[in-house]
Amino acid sequence: VRQLRHLIGVEINNRIADAIGPKPNAQLLDALSLAWSGAMLQAGMGHSDYKQMGKRLVAATKLLMADER
């Protein structure tokens, strides 16, 4: 199970990095990965549904990427 979690984590980080674009800022990638994992944790614990978390992640991403434009 540990190896599977690692592979999933690597894939998620790769997808976030690809979405940012070429040469992603390491701090931005870290912050977006942390936001994603936190959103999944909150939704998984029932604090919010996954659809609502998607909307919240969009808002957080816009804030985090404001300086990247």
Side-chain angles (χ1 to χ4, degrees):
V1 173
R2 177 182 284 165
Q3 185 178 5
L4 182 58
R5 278 193 302 234
H6 174 75
L7 291 173
I8 291 169
V10 168
E11 181 64 23
I12 295 298
N13 281 339
N14 287 341
R15 290 180 183 210
I16 292 170
D18 288 346
I20 294 171
K23 297 183 181 180
N25 174 311
Q27 289 178 321
L28 176 60
L29 178 56
D30 185 53
L32 290 171
S33 295
L34 186 61
W36 181 87
S37 64
M40 295 301 102
L41 180 65
Q42 286 190 16
M45 292 189 316
H47 294 302
S48 184
D49 63 33
Y50 287 97
K51 186 175 182 178
Q52 184 62 30
M53 271 305 147
K55 292 175 183 176
R56 292 176 70 189
L57 273 173
V58 168
T61 299
K62 286 179 180 179
L63 286 172
L64 290 168
M65 294 192 68
D67 290 341
E68 297 295 314
R69 294 182 187 153

